[in-house]
Every structure is written in C-alpha cells, then in structure tokens.
Amino acid sequence: MKNCEFVKLIEFAQHGDERGHLVVAECGEDIPFEVKRIFYIYGSSADVIRGQHANQKTKFLLLNVAGTSKVRVKICGGGWDVYDLNRPYMGLYLPAMVWKEMYDFSPNSVLLVLASEHYDPDEYIRSYDEFIKINKGNGYGENSIVKTINRK
Ligand code: TYD
C-alpha cells in the first residue's frame, strides 16, 4: 500500500471570553497547506449528497462554521470513514485523491472549505469506477473491505 496520506480531524485554537469565541487556524501550522481558495456550501437539504468526487491535486480542509454535516471518505485499505462536522473549531483535512461525499446537512449548515489550489475542473475525478481503477493497488482503490467507521 502506498500513497496513503490519511484523512484527519484537526482541532483549532479557541480564544473564548465573555464576548464569545474566536477560532484561529494558521496556514502551515494548523492547516497543512497554503490556502489558495475558499468556498462554502449552505442551503443544502438533509437528503442532498454533495461531492462524490476526488481531486487529483487539491487538498482540502472542511469545517462547519455553523450547523452540522457529515463527510464520508473512502480510506486507504478499502473502507469508509464517516466524520461528523458538528463543532466550529474542528476541521477535517483531506489529502489529494480522496473520494468524498458530504451529506446530512442541518438547515443552518454552513460548510466552509479551504483549498490548496485554484479551481480546475480537469483535476476532478467524478466517476467512482474511474477512481477505483486509477487507485488500484495503492490503497485507496481497494474495494474488498466493506466497513464504515464513525469518527467523532
Ligand atoms: P460541485 O463541484 O458540483 O460542488 P460539490 O462538490 O459541493 O458537490 O460545484 C458546484 C458548482 O460550482 C459547479 O458548477 C462548479 C462550481 N465551482 C466553482 O466554480 N469553483 C469552485 O471552487 C468550486 C468548488 C465549484
């Protein structure tokens, strides 16, 4: 198995006082890449599944700055991990070449995404079969283990 840089949850520093909370994410320290682009997703209903693609170059950090959502990722070794994004100080780091699906959006969900690259539609792999084919033998493409682990 090669090419297995793992998905991970990252906790950002919180500076709370009687005025409220302030969360800090520093590039190069908390965020393991330089941010070139941000976008955010809101107004997606609970039954919508977004994503359903992998990016060949771009690394992402996803965090629900408001509300909640879930992210399902195909992991090295063939299984799936599910992450609950339900705290505005927890970010989910996705290396390149990870198949991801975002779903179960709460009505007030604002899913903020920080990206390491500018938008390039050509670096997207939007076919799951193609993703498996491309990654055959490198860990992410193994389809044999069918399991889902819920990470909190
Ligand atoms: P899409 O990739 O379908 O969103 P998701 O992964 O959340 O399901 O993107 C929706 C639309 O927005 C599509 O027309 C492409 C466009 N888009 C940009 O123009 N720039 C971007 O940085 C992103 C992420 C999407």
Side-chain angles (χ1 to χ4, degrees):
M1 246 184 241
K2 51 184 181 179
N3 195 23
C4 284
E5 195 193 342
F6 288 107
V7 170
K8 61 181 175 193
L9 277 170
I10 298 173
E11 183 167 353
F12 301 122
Q14 290 199 79
H15 301 269
D17 57 29
E18 65 284 355
R19 297 169 299 164
H21 301 282
L22 187 153
V23 178
V24 180
E26 294 267 6
C27 282
E29 292 177 26
D30 312 299
I31 305 169
F33 53 82
E34 289 293 321
V35 177
K36 289 198 182 143
R37 172 170 55 114
I38 69 164
F39 56 94
Y40 44 94
I41 294 166
Y42 67 98
S44 290
S45 52
D47 57 351
V48 160
I49 303 176
R50 302 201 60 125
Q52 298 185 294
H53 45 56
N55 291 71
Q56 298 179 65
K57 282 191 339 208
T58 306
K59 301 166 183 174
F60 295 100
L61 198 127
L62 286 72
L63 71 156
N64 262 92
V65 288
T68 61
S69 69
K70 292 194 174 105
V71 185
R72 181 164 54 215
V73 292
K74 182 86 164 61
I75 56 159
C76 244
W80 292 85
D81 272 0
V82 172
Y83 291 87
D84 287 332
L85 297 186
N86 54 13
R87 287 158 289 179
Y89 53 88
M90 295 297 289
L92 181 66
Y93 169 65
L94 303 181
M97 223 18 139
V98 169
W99 187 268
K100 58 195 168 303
E101 302 181 351
M102 297 85 86
Y103 64 105
D104 210 4
F105 297 93
S106 65
N108 61 339
S109 172
V110 181
L111 176 60
L112 176 67
V113 183
L114 313 180
S116 68
E117 308 295 332
H118 294 294
Y119 182 63
D120 173 8
D122 293 338
E123 64 129 354
Y124 277 74
I125 301 168
R126 292 187 177 272
S127 151
Y128 185 72
D129 289 345
E130 193 193 338
F131 172 79
I132 294 297
K133 212 161 110 188
I134 289 171
N135 286 287
K136 200 102 197 117
N138 78 358
Y140 284 113
E142 306 313 315
N143 238 347
S144 52
I145 307 166
V146 181
K147 67 174 180 198
T148 299
I149 297 173
N150 277 284
R151 310 275 178 194
K152 300 286 176 195

